[in-house]
Amino acid sequence: MFEKNKSEQLLRQYGLKVTSNRLLVLDVLMSSRTALSHGEIQKKIQGSRLDKVTLYRTLDTFVKHDIAHKVASEDRNWLYALHPIDENDSVRNDHAHFICDYCERIYCLPVETRNTVPLPESEEGFVIRTHEYRLHGVCPQCH
Amino acid sequence: MFEKNKSEQLLRQYGLKVTSNRLLVLDVLMSSRTALSHGEIQKKIQGSRLDKVTLYRTLDTFVKHDIAHKVASEDRNWLYALHPIDENDSVRNDHAHFICDYCERIYCLPVETRNTVPLPESEEGFVIRTHEYRLHGVCPQCH
DNA sequence: ATAATAATGCAATAGAGTTGCAATAACGGT
DNA sequence: ACCGTTATTGCAACTCTATTGCATTATTAT
Ligand SMILES: [Mn+2]
Ligand SMILES: [Mn+2]
Ligand SMILES: [Zn+2]
Ligand SMILES: [Zn+2]
């Protein structure tokens, strides 16, 4: 038996049917350093006839099955990215988002962010379950 | 001379013309514990004939003059809020946002959040200028 | 009161994302 | 290799938030 490619393995591993659309979108996400919007992904796969609705649904499927996650961009669009891998090759659900002030790209940075910002005494009744740390500044591309 | 009300003073202080629309919107924002969407504000001022476009522009004006700030909500709408006041009655530009998993309301919490998450060595070329800390969990209303 | 300027209301428009439904493709079982 | 079940896909129409252009109206300094 031949070894299946990585994207195909990943889909089967998550119990998803292997379709050319999903493989295509997965490849795009895997080869991007930044989180991508629906529109950006469409541009990267122009030529293939993948409908925009199917792309929305494919991305939702990835998020629902926790293959990918989505981040709200500053212009209120969703950006999609696979989970970042840390130095031990393990997935980090807990990480920071870096938003460039110039190109507005969003990077997922595998940074430990837990237990860093305690609530002040005065703010009672708020129970924290998860968090997102968003950093703004200048990215390596824009120096 | 009679003492002007607080909203009117605030507008003059920021060099803005005093209009009934602006006073109305300012009152709504001042009396809310959570950040409000355009739609929520419209509901609260139903009866007044303030056009939806004017409301958008009024909110933008407040943001541009730094009377208020806006936060992207989880469902991709803008939410608007005045700057939170800390225990010394001074404005905090640097604060956290608490997003309730149930009611989805966003609260501005006057929490010190500076310099809490250093980047790892491996992530070079990112220059951090500002940040936003988003906390998710259960708010006091939803216990 | 008047003039200069900014704010406002209305209609049309843009853009991201969603819904319903019929056609098609994936895949386990034979 | 074929079939039947079920999930995926493409298309059209639609929803919803927000924006733009422009003529009208209100605010403020003089
Ligand atoms: Mn991320
Ligand atoms: Mn805030
Ligand atoms: Zn950049
Ligand atoms: Zn709540």
Side-chain angles (χ1 to χ4, degrees):
Chain A
M1 239 183 221
F2 295 115
E3 193 189 314
K4 306 292 185 179
N5 73 53
K6 202 170 180 181
S7 303
E8 194 170 332
Q9 278 184 323
L10 189 62
L11 289 176
R12 294 198 193 282
Q13 175 184 335
Y14 281 89
L16 294 176
K17 291 191 175 171
V18 178
T19 71
S20 57
N21 283 338
R22 286 174 177 169
L23 292 172
L24 188 59
V25 176
L26 213 43
D27 274 351
V28 169
L29 291 179
M30 286 197 300
S31 62
S32 174
R33 194 179 179 192
T34 60
L36 299 173
S37 70
H38 176 275
E40 287 172 320
I41 297 170
Q42 269 202 317
K43 264 179 214 142
K44 283 177 190 279
I45 62 178
Q46 60 191 352
S48 79
R49 57 159 151 31
L50 164 52
D51 187 73
K52 66 166 185 163
V53 178
T54 303
L55 179 52
Y56 276 119
R57 292 197 271 229
T58 300
L59 294 168
D60 278 353
T61 300
F62 287 175
V63 171
K64 192 193 294 169
H65 288 78
D66 206 35
I67 293 177
H69 64 286
K70 60 181 176 180
V71 197
S73 76
E74 297 297 295
D75 54 359
R76 304 180 329 282
N77 301 335
W78 288 121
L79 304 188
Y80 299 84
L82 302 180
H83 302 302
I85 303 296
D86 67 14
E87 60 273 5
N88 306 323
D89 268 353
S90 58
V91 168
R92 287 213 75 86
N93 282 305
D94 151 64
H95 65 270
H97 289 132
F98 186 95
I99 299 141
C100 180
D101 292 336
Y102 295 99
C103 66
E104 307 215 299
R105 279 188 280 247
I106 298 190
Y107 300 75
C108 297
L109 299 184
V111 179
E112 167 64 56
T113 65
R114 250 185 291 265
N115 301 322
T116 48
V117 175
L119 284 176
E121 299 292 326
S122 58
E123 302 291 343
E124 282 171 30
F126 291 92
V127 178
I128 298 172
R129 304 212 284 206
T130 60
H131 60 254
E132 184 196 354
Y133 201 77
R134 292 168 76 104
L135 308 168
H136 294 253
V138 190
C139 85
Q141 308 289 318
C142 294
H143 273 176
Chain B
M1 239 189 220
F2 295 113
E3 191 189 316
K4 304 294 184 178
N5 75 50
K6 202 170 179 183
S7 301
E8 192 169 333
Q9 279 183 322
L10 188 63
L11 288 176
R12 294 198 192 283
Q13 174 185 334
Y14 281 89
L16 294 177
K17 292 189 175 172
V18 178
T19 71
S20 55
N21 283 337
R22 285 173 177 169
L23 292 173
L24 188 60
V25 177
L26 212 43
D27 275 351
V28 169
L29 291 179
M30 286 197 299
S31 61
S32 174
R33 196 180 178 195
T34 61
L36 298 173
S37 70
H38 177 276
E40 288 171 320
I41 297 171
Q42 268 201 318
K43 265 179 213 141
K44 284 177 188 279
I45 62 177
Q46 62 191 352
S48 80
R49 57 161 153 30
L50 163 51
D51 187 74
K52 66 167 183 161
V53 177
T54 304
L55 179 52
Y56 277 118
R57 291 197 271 231
T58 300
L59 293 168
D60 277 351
T61 300
F62 287 174
V63 171
K64 192 191 297 169
H65 288 79
D66 207 37
I67 292 177
H69 65 285
K70 61 182 174 180
V71 197
S73 75
E74 296 296 296
D75 55 357
R76 307 179 327 281
N77 302 336
W78 287 123
L79 303 188
Y80 298 85
L82 302 180
H83 301 301
I85 304 298
D86 66 13
E87 59 274 6
N88 307 321
D89 268 352
S90 59
V91 169
R92 288 211 75 87
N93 281 306
D94 153 63
H95 66 270
H97 289 134
F98 186 94
I99 299 141
C100 180
D101 292 335
Y102 295 98
C103 66
E104 307 216 299
R105 279 188 279 248
I106 298 189
Y107 300 74
C108 297
L109 299 184
V111 180
E112 170 63 54
T113 65
R114 248 184 287 270
N115 300 325
T116 47
V117 174
L119 283 177
E121 301 289 326
S122 58
E123 301 294 341
E124 281 170 30
F126 292 93
V127 179
I128 298 171
R129 302 213 283 210
T130 60
H131 59 251
E132 182 197 354
Y133 203 76
R134 292 168 76 103
L135 307 168
H136 294 253
V138 189
C139 84
Q141 308 289 319
C142 293
H143 272 177

